[in-house]
């Protein structure tokens, strides 16, 4: 039986990681160079990992402004390959057994739709037991990825990684940026570490506070309870718990009446007085989509963008909103896009 470290460095696993990395977007210089001599590149990576001469290359940093300003630090292609092998063959298979059911994101079968369906289930359960006499705590970690302390993260990772050599590789990625704080956005391993960093909070909510109706999608989470006083106590307990991790909640965190519903995973989900669960696209997401596809349709009309690019993106968005009560929105968007294109 190969060790976890040997699984990461296994040639077949690294080559599969290379193929999976190729499926990503973009044609960077590092990707093209690696692709020219892929077999040699994989063999070199294997040798570097096994001899512990592997080093993480400098990141390509740039800003994005949609939907908000963020610093993205993209890793080189060869580091992306190593991350895939480490995450797919060792970290995720092991950690997925530890993560609680209501910790969503970054796991096969547990994306935004899974999170939305769990929220709907929790809201139905709350309504069935207490009607509209419930409260929702909606919270968000402030500047989550930028605030994760390397020393604290390494302590958390060590609790779940027994293999010393795998732990060495994890530390390579943890310490590859910043001055002891912050994880680079846009990297697979950062997503895995971010899921794990708040695992203790998840257990605190479910096991210590006894909250069964809750869910977390990365740094965004909710709790549902019928006692407003108790949910306030939960809020204070969570604040104290995450303070140890150098984290705090942002100013959008609030406790609101159950009838108001909650914005989570891109949708506003609420329950009507007769117990029907409604899921609508958030207004800010709606406005952003209207702006985006109006611009793309005009570029197609002007011959500055190929029609295929528009339809690939637009059809993906239509599939996304199909998971909500958004028929009217979809028809309105069709009228706008096809109207600009002159298609009736």
């Amino acid at each position: 039986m190969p060790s976890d470290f040997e699984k990461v460095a296994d040639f077949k696993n690294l080559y599969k990681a290379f193929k999976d990395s190729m499926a990503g977007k973009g044609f960077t210089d590092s990707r093209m160079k690696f692709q020219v001599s892929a077999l040699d590149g994989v063999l070199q990576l294997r040798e570097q990992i096994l001899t512990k001469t592997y080093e993480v290359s400098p990141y390509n940093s740039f800003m994005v402004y949609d939907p908000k300003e963020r610093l993205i630090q993209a890793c080189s292609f060869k580091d992306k390959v190593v991350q895939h092998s480490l995450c797919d063959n060792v970290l995720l298979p092991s950690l997925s057994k530890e993560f609680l059911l209501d910790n969503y994101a970054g796991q096969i079968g547990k994306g935004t739709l899974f999170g939305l369906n769990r929220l709907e289930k929790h809201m139905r359960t709350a309504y069935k037991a207490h009607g509209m006499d419930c409260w929702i705590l909606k919270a968000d970690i402030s500047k989550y990825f930028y605030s994760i302390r390397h020393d604290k993260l390494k302590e958390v990772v060590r609790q779940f990684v027994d293999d010393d050599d795998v732990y060495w590789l994890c530390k390579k990625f943890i310490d590859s940026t910043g001055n002891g704080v912050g994880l680079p956005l846009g990297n697979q391993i950062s997503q895995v570490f971010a899921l794990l960093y708040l695992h203790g909070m998840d257990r605190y909510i479910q096991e210590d506070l006894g909250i069964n109706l809750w869910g977390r999608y990365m740094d965004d989470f909710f709790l549902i309870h019928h006692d407003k006083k108790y949910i306030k106590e939960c809020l204070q307990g969570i604040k104290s718990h995450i303070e140890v991790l150098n984290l705090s909640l942002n100013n959008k965190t609030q406790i609101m009446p159950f009838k108001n519903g909650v914005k989570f995973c891109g949708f506003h989900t609420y329950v009507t007085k007769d117990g029907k669960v409604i899921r609508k696209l958030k207004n800010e997401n709606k406005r952003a989509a209207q702006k985006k596809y109006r611009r793309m349709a005009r570029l197609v009309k002007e011959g500055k963008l190929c029609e295929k690019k528009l339809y690939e993106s637009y059809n993906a968005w239509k599939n996304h909103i199909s998971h909500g009560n958004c028929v009217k929105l979809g028809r309105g968007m069709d009228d706008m896009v096809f109207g600009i294109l002159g298609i009736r």
Side-chain angles (χ1 to χ4, degrees):
M1 177 71 71
S3 68
D4 283 346
F5 190 61
E6 289 169 338
K7 291 178 184 176
V8 177
D10 178 77
F11 179 83
K12 289 183 179 179
N13 288 342
L14 281 171
Y15 189 74
K16 183 179 185 303
F18 157 69
K19 299 292 284 186
D20 291 341
S21 299
M22 285 290 294
K25 296 179 180 178
F27 291 89
T28 62
D29 288 342
S30 63
R31 169 178 169 170
M32 293 173 70
K33 289 176 182 177
F34 197 100
Q35 186 178 357
V36 169
S37 54
L39 293 179
D40 287 341
V42 170
L43 285 171
Q44 287 180 30
L45 276 182
R46 171 177 163 78
E47 179 68 17
Q48 290 171 7
I49 293 169
L50 289 174
T51 59
K52 291 189 176 180
T53 56
Y54 170 77
E55 296 291 342
V56 179
S57 298
Y59 290 87
N60 175 31
S61 301
F62 56 93
M63 301 297 296
V64 296
Y65 301 93
D66 186 18
K68 59 183 178 181
E69 183 175 312
R70 292 178 298 168
L71 171 65
I72 302 297
Q73 292 175 288
C75 66
S76 71
F77 186 75
K78 62 102 173 172
D79 294 325
K80 187 176 182 180
V81 172
V82 176
Q83 286 188 34
H84 258 297
S85 188
L86 174 58
C87 294
D88 298 348
N89 297 298
V90 175
L91 294 183
L92 283 174
S94 174
L95 294 176
S96 294
K97 299 173 185 176
E98 301 288 342
F99 292 150
L100 301 184
L101 178 62
D102 284 298
N103 171 0
Y104 323 127
Q107 305 160 71
I108 296 174
K110 291 181 72 177
T112 55
L113 181 57
F114 181 84
L116 286 166
N117 289 339
R118 288 292 293 173
L119 169 61
E120 180 175 333
K121 183 177 185 296
H122 289 331
M123 296 188 85
R124 290 186 190 280
T125 300
Y127 179 84
K128 187 176 180 179
H130 305 285
M132 302 298 278
D133 296 325
C134 291
W135 298 87
I136 300 174
L137 165 61
K138 178 61 171 54
D140 198 337
I141 305 291
S142 178
K143 302 184 185 304
Y144 182 43
F145 280 79
Y146 304 117
S147 302
I148 294 176
R149 276 179 49 174
H150 294 183
D151 57 345
K152 295 290 184 181
L153 175 58
K154 282 184 275 191
E155 289 176 8
V156 173
V157 170
R158 192 51 168 157
Q159 295 175 28
F160 297 91
V161 175
D162 296 325
D163 189 309
D164 292 339
D165 297 321
V166 171
Y167 183 59
W168 163 80
L169 190 54
C170 288
K171 288 192 295 181
K172 281 289 181 184
F173 285 108
I174 293 171
D175 291 329
S176 63
T177 57
N179 299 309
V181 63
L183 292 180
L185 287 172
N187 291 275
Q188 183 186 18
I189 201 162
S190 295
Q191 301 283 324
V192 175
F193 286 153
L195 284 172
L196 180 62
Y197 199 56
L198 285 176
H199 176 66
M201 184 194 75
D202 296 342
R203 295 194 62 174
Y204 173 71
I205 290 171
Q206 185 164 303
E207 298 170 9
D208 295 353
L209 297 178
I211 300 291
N212 295 317
L213 308 180
W214 71 280
R216 174 169 72 91
Y217 192 92
M218 203 56 75
D219 58 343
D220 194 20
F221 62 97
F222 67 87
L223 281 67
I224 304 174
H225 199 268
H226 64 278
D227 188 330
K228 186 178 183 181
K229 181 181 178 182
Y230 185 65
I231 211 166
K232 284 183 177 180
E233 293 175 4
C234 291
L235 174 57
Q236 294 307 313
I238 290 169
K239 285 181 177 179
S240 298
H241 189 87
I242 65 173
E243 189 176 336
V244 178
L245 297 173
N246 193 48
L247 301 176
S248 60
L249 301 177
N250 68 17
N251 55 16
K252 292 186 290 185
T253 296
Q254 59 180 315
I255 295 172
M256 50 206 161
F258 187 69
K259 66 179 182 181
N260 288 13
V262 62
K263 292 181 179 180
F264 187 67
C265 289
F267 287 83
H268 177 207
T269 304
Y270 60 94
V271 180
T272 63
K273 290 182 179 180
D274 59 356
K276 184 179 180 181
V277 178
I278 303 295
R279 187 187 294 165
K280 296 279 192 180
L281 194 70
K282 292 197 305 184
N283 287 332
E284 51 266 44
N285 291 10
K286 189 188 306 181
R287 288 191 293 270
Q290 289 169 338
K291 180 180 178 180
K292 175 181 179 178
Y293 293 114
R294 182 184 295 113
R295 178 178 59 83
M296 289 183 73
R298 285 173 177 167
L299 288 174
V300 170
K301 183 72 173 177
E302 295 166 5
K304 298 177 180 178
L305 180 71
C306 71
E307 206 171 76
K308 182 182 177 182
K309 288 286 186 183
L310 167 63
Y311 286 131
E312 282 178 354
S313 177
Y314 186 59
N315 289 335
W317 180 81
K318 288 289 293 288
N319 181 63
H320 173 63
I321 67 168
S322 71
H323 300 303
N325 304 90
C326 304
V327 173
K328 185 177 179 181
L329 170 63
R331 288 173 178 167
M333 287 288 285
D334 284 347
D335 289 343
M336 181 193 76
V337 170
F338 297 135
I340 294 172
L341 296 175
I343 302 172
R344 296 294 181 182

